[in-house]
Amino acid sequence: MTDALAPGSTIGILGGGQLGRMLAVAASRLGLKCHVYDPAPDGPAAEVSARATTAAWDDEAALTAFAEAVDVVTYEFENVPAASLDLIESIVPIRPNRRALAVSQDRIDEKDFLRDLGLATAPYAMVDDAASLDAALERIGAPAILKTRRFGYDGKGQARIMAAEDAAAALAEMNGAPAILEGFVEFSHEVSVIGARGLDGAVACFDPGENRHEDGILRETTVPARLSASQRTDAVLLAAKILTELDYVGVMGVELFVTPQGLVVNEIAPRVHNSGHWTQDGCLIDQFEQHIRAVAGWPLGDGARHSDVVMENLIGDDIDRVPEIAATQSALHLYGKAEARPGRKMGHVNRLTGPAR
Ligand code: ATP
Ligand code: MG
């Protein structure tokens, strides 16, 4: 642990949502402090952190003061502008590194990277206008999905194209933003691997979870996922390959489609991931502590699972069910958000379904 941050050190977190909140709670258990930076005041993470800066992403004085006040910077939000990161990085290390962030911010760069690693992805093509969309549809065929290259989350910035006549409407939904056309992958189900890599290069992955989405938003993750032994091995090995190629430090989420031809990579997220929330109650060291350990230069936990878990997201009005859920033997994790808007992630609940199988 030569490069390890000592207890009492401070981790800077870019982004102040629920992921930042759970990172800060995990850090506090290790005697580490967190300093959150977010343009919005009073977010879920600031409430449980030692310090918070409320300032715009382009506020150079605030970014400088933040970087000077912390020992390492990590992020829970991928869309921090490059210029802000340049400034921070001139003062303090950013983990995971800039390349991991750049690759995962742009769906074309991400797929090029995955293909170059020899991993399977949906067929894809760059789309900037009607002519390039026609050409892409000609090559890839329908059904297909048009997505903005950047800034998508929870299924936002996506339009399905069931047949060629849907093309114009789908393109209009992109609002002129650069886009990617992806062929529709005929998957039987979706799984994800939450992997981690330490400063010393050690890799540890949690068992794959099986993910069910509703209206483009993750609804439920179940471990163990339905996978054969060889699929399970493939999933973990491909996650390790991605982490190592990127010289990654921290936790990453790798979303996969399960198909009869094998595993197809959907996307990677360079941060703790909603589909890894089950680890809070299914593992001795969860994804949040694992990420903090990695960015702080500590040894990683081994990722072993002691229990089978079903994680359910509490979205919008689901928060009204909390009194009823609280009366059952299950672990509630609430984010402290005052207002329950439709589609807003308010918390989640982990139900243990037995000892690990
Ligand atoms: P999130 O932030 O929830 O991960 P996102 O907005 O980044 O989502 P994607 O992961 O690209 O979006 O897509 C959301 C969901 O849409 C996927 O989990 C999958 O169910 C479906 N989907 C996306 N791309 C494809 C594809 N090429 N073929 C089939 N289904 C797809
Ligand atoms: Mg996704």
Side-chain angles (χ1 to χ4, degrees):
M1 285 185 44
T2 42
D3 298 319
L5 292 189
S9 303
T10 302
I11 296 175
I13 303 177
L14 300 171
Q18 63 267 16
L19 300 178
R21 180 186 180 98
M22 293 183 276
L23 285 169
V25 169
S28 76
R29 283 182 46 215
L30 299 179
L32 297 165
K33 295 184 171 62
C34 286
H35 183 159
V36 171
Y37 190 111
D38 195 280
D42 306 325
E47 217 168 77
V48 299
S49 295
R51 286 188 65 189
T53 296
T54 307
W57 291 125
D58 61 358
D59 183 335
E60 292 184 9
L63 288 167
T64 303
F66 166 77
E68 285 173 348
V70 302
D71 298 293
V72 65
V73 167
T74 189
Y75 44 89
E76 61 114 63
F77 170 75
E78 289 110 293
N79 293 314
V80 179
S84 317
L85 297 168
D86 289 341
L87 176 55
I88 293 169
E89 205 171 27
S90 70
I91 301 170
V92 69
I94 299 179
R95 297 180 188 141
N97 65 41
R98 297 290 297 282
R99 179 161 175 243
L101 194 58
V103 159
S104 58
Q105 274 175 342
D106 184 304
R107 294 187 191 276
I108 296 270
D109 294 346
E110 183 177 44
K111 286 206 167 43
D112 287 346
F113 165 77
L114 294 166
R115 285 281 170 113
D116 288 347
L117 268 186
L119 303 176
T121 70
Y124 63 102
M126 212 183 291
V127 170
D128 292 312
D129 50 23
S132 48
L133 178 53
D134 284 349
L137 272 172
E138 185 78 20
R139 180 159 72 76
I140 290 168
I145 306 186
L146 191 64
K147 304 180 181 179
T148 55
R149 282 177 67 162
R150 298 171 67 95
F151 306 123
Y153 70 98
D154 287 349
K156 293 187 171 53
Q158 300 193 10
R160 300 225 168 171
I161 299 181
M162 300 314 290
E165 56 263 30
D166 302 339
L171 191 61
E173 280 193 49
M174 302 296 109
N175 280 319
I180 178 175
L181 186 76
E182 292 183 16
F184 197 85
V185 177
E186 293 294 340
F187 57 82
S188 55
H189 51 295
E190 294 184 78
V191 302
S192 55
V193 181
I194 309 302
R197 187 165 173 278
L199 203 52
D200 59 358
V203 169
C205 293
F206 295 102
D207 284 335
E210 182 168 333
N211 301 322
R212 189 167 61 76
H213 293 83
E214 270 171 27
D215 304 323
I217 304 178
L218 182 67
R219 182 78 222 175
E220 203 173 79
T221 300
T222 304
V223 275
R226 286 172 295 160
L227 290 173
S228 65
S230 70
Q231 286 171 325
R232 204 173 298 274
T233 306
D234 280 353
V236 168
L237 287 179
L238 76 82
K241 200 168 174 178
I242 294 169
L243 290 164
T244 303
E245 175 63 26
L246 289 172
D247 194 20
Y248 196 88
V249 175
V251 164
M252 169 184 281
V254 182
E255 300 179 8
L256 302 167
F257 299 127
V258 183
T259 79
Q261 292 75 38
L263 300 175
V264 174
V265 184
N266 173 24
E267 59 173 354
I268 60 178
R271 51 169 169 75
V272 287
H273 196 259
N274 193 168
S275 70
H277 291 359
W278 67 268
T279 61
Q280 291 173 305
D281 299 290
C283 301
L284 189 61
I285 292 171
D286 67 25
Q287 66 162 346
F288 300 99
E289 179 173 340
Q290 189 80 315
H291 185 77
I292 295 294
R293 281 172 170 257
V295 303
W298 290 30
L300 298 182
D302 64 8
R305 174 170 59 87
H306 56 67
S307 297
D308 290 350
V309 188
V310 177
M311 186 284 307
E312 182 196 359
N313 265 341
L314 301 176
I315 300 167
D317 288 346
D318 290 342
I319 195 75
D320 297 340
R321 289 168 36 217
V322 161
E324 170 201 321
I325 296 168
T328 65
Q329 286 303 311
S330 50
L332 267 169
H333 300 261
L334 304 179
Y335 311 148
K337 297 179 185 174
E339 201 195 333
R341 292 192 292 271
R344 193 172 200 207
K345 291 174 179 167
M346 303 300 292
H348 62 275
V349 54
N350 284 331
R351 297 187 176 86
L352 301 190
T353 53
R357 283 178 276 143

